[in-house]
Amino acid sequence: MEKTCSGGWFKGVKNRLAREAERPLNLTRARYNQPYEIQSIETLDSAMTDFLFTLGCYEGQEVTVLSSLGENYVIHVKDARYSIDRALAQAIRI
Amino acid sequence: MRIALAGNPNSGKTTLFNSITGKIEHVGNWPGVTVARKEGEIKSVYNPSGETVQVVDLPGAYSMSPYTSEESITRDFVIEENPDVIVNIVDATSLSRSLFFTTQLLEIGIPVVVALNKSDLKSKKKLSIDSGLLSEVLGCPVVEVAAIEADGLKELVTVSRESLGRKLKAPFAGYDPGTATEEEVRQSDKERFSFVENLVSRVEGRKVESRRQTRQDALDRVVAHKVLGIPVFALILYSVFSISQNSVGPLVADYLVGWIDAFYGFVQGLMGSGVHPLFSALLLDGIIGGVGAIVGFLPLIMVLFFLLALLEDSGYMARVAVVMDPYFKKVGLSGRSIIPMVISTGCAIPGIMATRTIRDERQRRTTALLTPFMPCGAKLPVIALFAGVFFADAAWVGTAMYFLAIAVVVVGALIIRKITGDTSKSNYFIMELPEYRLPSLKRAFVAMVSQGKAFVMKAVTIILVSNALVHVMQTFTWRFQVVGEGMAQESILASLAGPVSWLMIPLGFGMWQLAAAAITGFIAKENVVGTLAVVFGITNFIDTEELVLVAGESQVAGVMGLTAVAALAYLIFNLFTPPCFAAIGAMNAELKSKRWLLGAIGFQLGMGYTLAYLVYQAGTLITTGSFGSGVLGGLAGIGLFAGTIVYLVRLRENEDLEVLGGVA
């Protein structure tokens, strides 16, 4: 899956929080109502990446998380609101 | 000349289309309502010239590179069918996303007119747009409209007609689609976005930032919440069904049935005694009685359609998809699968077509297979009839059928995933959240009338013919002699339905009359009620004096000779076996595979049979202390169904093992 997983990440019992801190920042960890710049989109489905692009959701663009509703995140991109699931929120690196 | 309407999902294309053509196509406040192109002619009010102008409404698309199948309809149409003018509907409240598609449309070479829709919302959002400057930069006319209020439409049509043949220069020259590499496309599209961004910053004045949280977001935190959203959805569904079936619906039905009764009497009096009794029986009991039995339920259905239209107009549907997504994912579907299912509570055919917005093929097919389990408007009379006759109009019967349908969908999805394997590589979910708005009573009324009209049309055509045939087949023997007194089994109908009724003994209703009604139900589900009315000689089910849905419960129940448990089993059998032929046709079109279609019909038959069997046998065991008749025979049938499923699951698992073995 992610490249970071291979480098001895799971050797030894590491504190979960420490791992969180080193993991690249994605939308699941964004603060609400604060605009972030998208660093990259790391989906497993290139068609989804292309689709996000057509919504204006790609690297360099601004994204804001408005709220999270359990499994779903309400995001704001280019004057429109979308609800995305956790997997997609994790794919959007900020 | 021909005008194409293109634009982002939920920008209001179909609303505009309905306004300028006077048609009544399905609209809703959520992305992906329109899944196929619709054509119509512009009304003369908006087109004083008198020359016919065709308008083509297309499904929404975010760009010229399609993501789901319905998006590709838009691209294919615009590129291949060369409309004379493209009217690009742009949501004035989200310019910065919408204009991306606009700049792509401007490159095609067909004259474009931008319709700046939802202009009525601008002041509410403290938004201003310099449409003159926008028009200048884009190099095409920009007309401000509010499709919902029918504002600016005349000007839009005039400008569109004047644009015929106009040359245009694309404001942004993108890549050459013939030669560009993927990298070049990406780079060019990024530049396109920055061009749009720059343009928007010049033409748009925003006083309130759109990313600010609003009251709508606060509402969403409850309505679209993973846990809280479920009871909210259940409550809303319950209200819709109980209003249509238990309070407002029957109240209106009462008047209607009075008229039908009067009509029956009128025709009876008109014919007098001079008409041959066979003919008068055919006309009165076969046609007026059968059709009347169904038309009597029209108000219930119209109230249901009215409420569903309000729900779709409010923007709530997109939230339902969000709420259901995590749960549906667990059974191998997606949150988008709920939308076809809610639409199917009106009619399964548009419901099945709505599966096109689901990208994953397996999920799409599974949804198309399961969607017809939802009780549609045509099944409503059947539910209402049985709830009335056997359960004293208990409100729980109707609601229970809807929740049972949801349970069947969930279990069905699990079984199908076991058979097909979960082939989806990634299962991301994204749904645009439209703004909530107060649903328009007028629009819901228009939708209701148009659906009600369709229902009546069906009743006086297909159902009328079916009832007449049923009546004739019941009246005559194979030698075309009138069936003698007490010799009902000799009739054509009885001899055809008889063998089938044997299969239904384990379900508690092994009578040829009931089998015949279930069979005619495949032509149209309303036929179940019509045929029952004809074969049992009941003229109408709704009482006009008392405000109860069904007259003479005990009498009707006595004629049918069913216990309450068997009646429930029969109702369930009719609801959960395959839908009507028209819906099967729609399934065929969407599944695009004979194997899937056969599997789907087999699965639906097996499901209906199994549920009816379980309800009848378990219910009889509880109420009488012993199993009903044919318990072992039915078990054999269900064993066959279960065995086939297990076999298919094993088959797939072995295939998986072989694949794994091959890799190793």
Side-chain angles (χ1 to χ4, degrees), chain B residues 576-600:
Chain B
F576 296 105
T577 43
C580 62
F581 290 133
I584 292 175
M587 269 164 57
N588 181 36
E590 299 306 321
L591 291 172
K592 293 187 180 75
S593 147
K594 285 281 166 285
R595 250 180 74 193
W596 267 87
L597 184 69
L598 279 178

Side-chain angles (χ1 to χ4, degrees), chain B residues 71 84 104 337 349 470 547 590 632:
Chain B
E71 273 194 273
D84 298 303
Q104 287 185 325
S337 308
I349 295 163
V470 165
L547 274 188
E590 299 306 321
L632 289 177

Side-chain angles (χ1 to χ4, degrees), chain A residues 33 44-45 47-48 50 53-54 56 58-59 64 66 72 76 78-85, chain B residues 63 67 96-97 186 189-190 193 197 206 210-213 217 322 329 359 426 428-431 433:
Chain A
N33 304 318
L44 302 169
D45 174 4
M48 178 49 90
D50 291 344
F53 185 91
T54 64
Y58 59 95
E59 62 270 24
T64 312
L66 293 174
N72 284 282
H76 173 269
K78 289 204 181 285
D79 299 335
R81 279 171 166 70
Y82 306 91
S83 175
I84 58 173
D85 62 359
Chain B
S63 78
Y67 180 66
S96 53
R97 185 194 64 210
R186 182 47 74 96
D189 277 346
K190 276 183 191 165
F193 255 125
E197 212 166 300
R206 251 177 209 277
S210 65
R211 68 156 181 276
R212 276 248 319 267
Q213 287 211 3
D217 293 302
V322 172
K329 251 183 209 150
R359 189 177 147 75
S426 58
Y428 297 116
F429 177 78
I430 178 163
M431 184 90 196
L433 294 180

Side-chain angles (χ1 to χ4, degrees), chain A residues 32-35 41-89 91-92, chain B residues 62-63 65 67 71 93-97 100 182 185-186 189-191 193-194 197 200 204 206 209-214 216-217 220-222 224-226 319 322-323 325-326 329 336 359 425-434:
Chain A
Y32 297 157
N33 304 318
Q34 187 181 318
I41 308 279
E42 310 276 337
T43 67
L44 302 169
D45 174 4
S46 64
M48 178 49 90
T49 312
D50 291 344
F51 179 66
L52 288 175
F53 185 91
T54 64
L55 302 179
C57 186
Y58 59 95
E59 62 270 24
Q61 296 297 303
E62 211 177 74
V63 60
T64 312
V65 176
L66 293 174
S67 63
S68 111
L69 311 157
E71 292 279 305
N72 284 282
Y73 295 79
V74 177
I75 62 167
H76 173 269
V77 181
K78 289 204 181 285
D79 299 335
R81 279 171 166 70
Y82 306 91
S83 175
I84 58 173
D85 62 359
R86 174 173 281 271
L88 204 50
I92 301 173
Chain B
Y62 290 109
S63 78
S65 36
Y67 180 66
E71 273 194 273
T93 62
S94 67
L95 272 191
S96 53
R97 185 194 64 210
F100 181 80
E182 209 173 303
V185 170
R186 182 47 74 96
D189 277 346
K190 276 183 191 165
E191 284 162 23
F193 255 125
S194 20
E197 212 166 300
V200 171
E204 185 188 77
R206 251 177 209 277
E209 272 193 272
S210 65
R211 68 156 181 276
R212 276 248 319 267
Q213 287 211 3
T214 60
Q216 303 228 345
D217 293 302
D220 270 345
R221 265 195 289 277
V222 179
H225 188 271
K226 186 190 169 196
R319 275 72 182 186
V322 172
V323 172
D325 183 59
K329 251 183 209 150
R336 282 176 190 269
R359 189 177 147 75
K425 280 179 254 105
S426 58
N427 199 358
Y428 297 116
F429 177 78
I430 178 163
M431 184 90 196
E432 185 173 355
L433 294 180

Side-chain angles (χ1 to χ4, degrees), chain B residues 145-168:
Chain B
V145 298
I148 238 171
E149 316 271 345
D151 269 356
L153 300 185
K154 200 166 177 179
E155 196 197 343
L156 178 67
V157 174
T158 311
V159 170
S160 303
R161 295 193 58 243
E162 286 165 3
S163 295
L164 187 65
R166 182 172 43 78
K167 288 270 173 294
L168 48 79

